[in-house]
């Protein structure tokens, strides 16, 4: 299924990648799934589902994934495989090849820089997850009540030194993996981390299946109830489709650059999107039965995993062990994503200044680590600082909130929009037809990337700018 016969005929010497090739189509797909499945699936997806009323949100999310996520994932992988370099140089190369302005390399710049920004904050949440492994293992969740669970979380976020230690450790592992290169770093990490992640997810779902509230959780996730949907849920679903699939950061472009020639990118992207969605849903199936069992609310927001869940783990038999497993899974999921956020910028520095990989990874690691301090301090010493005041729809956000807003609200959609316009309208359809093997799948993709994706992304944009409220004033669907 993954073989692409049309490409067999167009292989040429220019398609020799600069930084190596995945050693098999399987590892390529597993790595892309690893990049896509991260904190977004296990921490964010369940809390968004909980916040926006369950299954109707799930359906919306699926619609967004098909209309925006899948076409963009195909486009990003294709740009990478066509260019075979770091995203910035791949874009330059393709633009030149197509006789287009070199200004289109802005897509690569935006993605690579945003990747570093996201990683700086991602590492903080990855650090929390690491801290929680040890807390769970030490039995800290036992007999917690709601106040104590909130205090436990606050104790962590209030303590800059502790956060710094975890942030440093999380970044150190990420840098170490990236500096070992494609074969011995990224692939090796994917080979070890992904089975651990999937096995733990399997154990957790199996365990949850034995809980009396399992059916209620299935209902909650899968039986549509449109009454609670509003415009915000629609747009949250859209934004999350971007983030969860790992789009707009150059991650898919660089992983595509290492893709074997004969893999069908349409098929590969479909498998990835399906797996990513399944991992999010299974995480929900693992979490919600416990939340229901403990009689807790599903709408706790970002605190669902770090406050509600420990409470649930504290009150169930085997919760001690299950809690440790859960946070271990979260950390591995975060690492396989974090690696792919650093890789685009690292390969750029390698290509541009001819630095070797370990040096490039370490320099950028220090840069990201330093940037991360701003997010870290925004939970404690600088929690009173609101860099943008009451600007836009943000309210009085801390640095962490502002970063989140800029990334998911502006930078990711902007990169996505430019990618859709470049691939759908500027690149010649002959190029994309060859890369994607023609056929009905290709034609459908072309329609989506030309019309549907840009329209939907523009809607997202307007919401982020606070403009969409002007004309989207629904009480429900
Ligand atoms: N998709 C990842 C997650 O769900 C985050 C990510 C974004 C990874 C962009 C790579 C690129 O957590």
């Amino acid at each position: 299924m993954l073989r692409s016969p049309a490409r067999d005929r167009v292989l040429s010497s220019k398609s020799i990648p600069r930084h190596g090739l995945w050693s098999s189509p399987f590892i390529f797909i597993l790595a892309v799934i690893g990049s896509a499945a991260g904190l977004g699936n296990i921490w964010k997806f369940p809390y968004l589902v909980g916040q926006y009323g369950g299954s109707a949100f799930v359906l919306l999310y699926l619609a967004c994934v098909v209309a925006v996520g899948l076409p963009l994932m195909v486009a990003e992988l294709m740009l990478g495989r066509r260019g075979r370099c770091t995203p910035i140089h791949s874009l330059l190369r393709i633009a030149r090849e197509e006789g287009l302005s070199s200004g289109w390399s802005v897509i690569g710049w935006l993605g690579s820089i945003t990747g570093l920004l996201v990683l700086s904050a991602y590492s903080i949440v990855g650090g929390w997850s690491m801290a929680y492994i040890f807390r769970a293992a030490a039995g800290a969740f036992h007999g917690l009540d709601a106040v104590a669970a909130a205090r436990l979380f606050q104790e962590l976020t209030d303590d800059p030194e502790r956060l710094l230690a975890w942030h440093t450790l999380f970044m150190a592992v990420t840098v170490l993996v990236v500096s070992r290169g494609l074969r011995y770093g990224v692939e090796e990490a994917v080979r070890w981390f992904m089975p651990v992640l999937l096995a733990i997810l399997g154990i957790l779902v199996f365990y949850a299946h034995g809980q009396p509230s399992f059916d209620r959780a299935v209902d909650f996730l899968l039986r549509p109830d449109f009454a609670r949907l509003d415009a915000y849920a629609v747009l949250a679903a859209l934004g999350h489709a971007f983030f969860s699939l790992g789009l707009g950061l150059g991650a898919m472009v660089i992983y595509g650059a290492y893709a074997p020639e004969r893999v069908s990118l349409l098929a590969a992207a479909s498998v990835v999107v399906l797996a990513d969605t399944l991992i999010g849903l299974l995480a929900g199936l693992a979490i919600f039965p416990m939340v229901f069992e403990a009689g807790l609310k599903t709408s706790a927001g970002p605190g669902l995993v770090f406050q509600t869940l420990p409470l649930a783990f504290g009150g169930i038999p085997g919760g001690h062990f299950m809690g440790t497993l859960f946070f271990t899974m979260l950390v591995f999921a975060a690492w396989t994503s974090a690696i792919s956020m650093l890789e685009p910028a690292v390969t750029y520095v390698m290509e541009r200044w001819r630095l070797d990989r370990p040096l490039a990874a370490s320099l950028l690691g220090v840069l990201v680590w330093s940037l991360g301090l701003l997010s870290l301090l925004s939970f404690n010493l600088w929690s009173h600082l609101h860099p943008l005041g009451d600007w836009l729809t943000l309210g009085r956000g801390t640095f962490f909130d502002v970063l989140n807003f800029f990334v998911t609200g502006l930078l990711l959609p902007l990169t996505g929009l430019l990618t859709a316009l470049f691939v759908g309208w500027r690149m010649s359809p002959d190029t994309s037809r060859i890369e994607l093997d023609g056929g009905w799948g290709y034609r459908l993709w072309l329609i989506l990337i030309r019309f549907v994706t840009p329209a939907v992304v523009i809607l997202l944009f307007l919401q982020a700018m606070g403009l969409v409220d002007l004309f989207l004033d629904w009480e429900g669907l």
Side-chain angles (χ1 to χ4, degrees):
M1 171 180 95
L2 291 173
R3 220 179 134 87
S4 144
R7 287 189 54 81
D8 288 0
R9 281 177 268 117
V10 294
L11 299 185
S12 67
S13 57
K14 86 166 178 42
S15 38
I16 295 171
R18 296 254 316 228
H19 305 277
L21 265 185
W22 299 110
S23 49
S24 70
F26 175 74
I27 201 83
F28 160 56
I29 290 174
L30 199 63
V32 181
I33 295 174
S35 161
L39 295 173
N41 303 58
I42 300 168
W43 167 59
K44 215 166 171 193
F45 182 67
Y47 88 63
L48 287 175
V49 172
Q51 230 170 10
Y52 291 111
S55 50
F57 179 83
V58 174
L59 276 183
L60 267 181
Y61 171 77
L62 292 180
C64 297
V65 160
V66 173
V68 181
L70 183 58
L72 272 175
M73 163 125 7
V74 172
E76 292 196 4
L77 292 173
M78 177 177 81
L79 288 174
R81 189 168 68 179
R82 184 92 192 158
R84 289 295 193 198
C85 310
T86 193
I88 295 168
H89 292 154
S90 283
L91 262 295
L92 264 178
R93 192 170 176 175
I94 298 169
R96 215 169 283 145
E97 200 178 83
E98 301 271 322
L100 302 169
S101 153
S102 58
W104 285 105
S105 65
V106 69
I107 295 174
W109 280 105
L110 275 172
S112 307
I113 293 172
T114 312
L116 299 180
L117 285 175
V118 172
L119 180 56
S120 74
Y122 205 77
S123 168
I124 306 297
V125 183
W128 297 348
S129 316
M130 289 170 92
Y132 268 67
I133 298 180
F134 292 92
R135 291 178 157 195
F141 300 163
H142 189 71
L144 279 183
D145 60 22
V147 178
R151 202 184 320 118
L152 196 67
F153 185 53
Q154 182 122 28
E155 267 171 23
L156 176 68
T157 53
D158 272 355
D159 183 347
E161 283 157 28
R162 230 187 300 175
L163 288 186
L164 185 66
W166 290 118
H167 168 51
T168 308
L169 194 59
F170 186 89
M171 277 309 299
V173 173
T174 308
V175 168
L176 184 75
V177 169
V178 172
S179 63
R180 286 172 57 86
L182 182 62
R183 200 51 71 82
Y184 300 106
V186 182
E187 272 201 27
E188 218 40 26
V190 166
R191 240 183 257 280
W192 287 97
F193 293 0
M194 288 306 287
V196 173
L197 192 168
L198 297 175
I200 296 182
L201 187 59
I203 295 173
L204 289 170
V205 174
F206 182 75
Y207 177 83
H209 182 248
Q211 304 270 322
S213 302
F214 186 75
D215 291 344
R216 203 173 142 202
V218 174
D219 248 25
F220 180 67
L221 283 168
L222 300 178
R223 181 173 307 159
D225 165 15
F226 287 102
R228 287 183 60 187
L229 272 189
D230 56 18
Y232 295 100
V234 179
L235 297 156
L238 266 173
H240 189 62
F242 258 100
F243 186 76
S244 172
L245 291 172
L247 300 169
L249 291 196
M252 295 304 152
V253 183
I254 193 71
Y255 276 16
Y258 310 146
E261 283 293 341
R262 293 184 179 83
V263 170
S264 154
L265 294 182
L266 280 172
S270 308
V271 172
V272 170
V273 165
L274 202 70
D276 184 70
T277 308
L278 259 179
I279 291 176
L281 283 174
L282 289 175
L285 278 183
I287 291 174
F288 287 121
M290 284 188 274
V291 174
F292 288 139
E293 209 51 37
L296 300 169
K297 282 221 276 299
T298 53
S299 54
L304 182 70
V305 158
F306 293 102
Q307 291 176 41
T308 308
L309 209 53
L311 205 58
F313 282 129
I316 52 170
H320 185 93
F321 179 62
M322 290 297 153
T324 313
L325 280 184
F326 179 85
F327 288 103
T328 307
M329 167 175 83
L330 201 55
V331 172
F332 281 116
W335 268 327
T336 52
S337 298
I339 295 164
S340 70
M341 294 177 193
L342 192 56
E343 183 74 5
V346 167
T347 46
Y348 176 75
V349 170
M350 288 168 70
E351 289 174 22
R352 175 75 176 73
W353 288 290
R354 304 199 178 283
L355 297 190
D356 65 5
R357 204 177 241 281
L359 185 58
S362 312
L363 287 176
L364 287 167
V366 170
L367 178 73
V368 171
W369 178 86
S370 317
L371 262 177
L373 299 182
L374 298 174
S375 288
L376 188 158
L377 291 171
S378 72
F379 289 96
N380 34 69
L381 301 180
W382 290 353
S383 61
H384 59 288
L385 292 185
H386 307 290
L388 294 185
D390 294 327
W391 196 54
L392 290 179
T393 50
L394 191 62
R396 297 170 63 74
T398 60
F399 178 84
F400 183 83
D401 301 325
V402 171
L403 185 67
N404 216 338
F405 168 81
F406 267 108
V407 167
T408 47
L410 293 171
L411 292 172
L412 297 187
L414 179 64
T415 314
L417 180 62
L418 290 173
T419 306
L421 295 178
F422 179 70
V423 170
W425 294 99
R426 304 301 293 145
M427 226 169 110
S428 107
D430 289 338
T431 312
S432 52
R433 191 176 311 113
I434 291 173
E435 287 294 329
L436 302 177
D437 317 316
W440 66 267
Y442 167 73
R443 284 196 293 277
L444 185 61
W445 170 83
L446 197 62
I447 293 171
L448 288 173
I449 201 82
R450 282 193 154 174
F451 303 103
V452 181
T453 309
V456 169
V457 172
I458 287 171
L459 191 69
L460 228 185
F461 242 138
L462 296 176
Q463 185 255 350
M465 308 285 286
L467 294 175
V468 84
D469 300 9
L470 298 176
F471 54 89
L472 268 185
D473 187 22
W474 325 325
E475 276 303 306
L477 285 176

